[in-house]
């Protein structure tokens, strides 16, 4: 029997995701790898805004 190596623990406060809040008030229906990717996709001239959030918790680091 083989055992999988345990996953390294990560602090949930560091698990930040990036999205685009569209002009209509909804989040874009896709995920972005990082802030730069979200900024490249967003259309600020149309009212889009890049946002960052933590889906796990609203916690201070």
């Amino acid at each position: 029997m083989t055992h999988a190596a345990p996953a390294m623990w990560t602090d949930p406060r560091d698990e930040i995701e990036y999205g685009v809040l569209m002009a209509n008030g909804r989040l874009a229906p896709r995920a972005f790898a990082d802030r730069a990717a979200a900024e490249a996709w967003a259309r600020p001239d149309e009212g889009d805004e890049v946002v960052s959030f933590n889906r796990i918790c609203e916690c201070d680091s």
Side-chain angles (χ1 to χ4, degrees):
M1 175 185 346
T2 59
H3 294 279
M8 286 188 60
W9 182 83
T10 58
D11 190 334
R13 295 172 291 186
D14 295 334
E15 295 183 23
I16 304 299
E17 296 185 27
Y18 296 94
V20 173
L21 183 61
M22 299 184 298
N24 64 6
R26 302 181 85 179
L27 281 174
R30 59 169 295 175
F32 299 93
D34 54 30
R35 184 173 195 86
E39 288 174 348
W41 190 87
R43 296 182 178 182
D45 55 315
E46 294 181 15
D48 293 354
E49 179 182 349
V50 174
V51 294
S52 61
F53 52 93
N54 183 310
R55 289 189 189 267
I56 297 171
C57 65
E58 289 186 45
C59 40
D60 295 325
S61 43

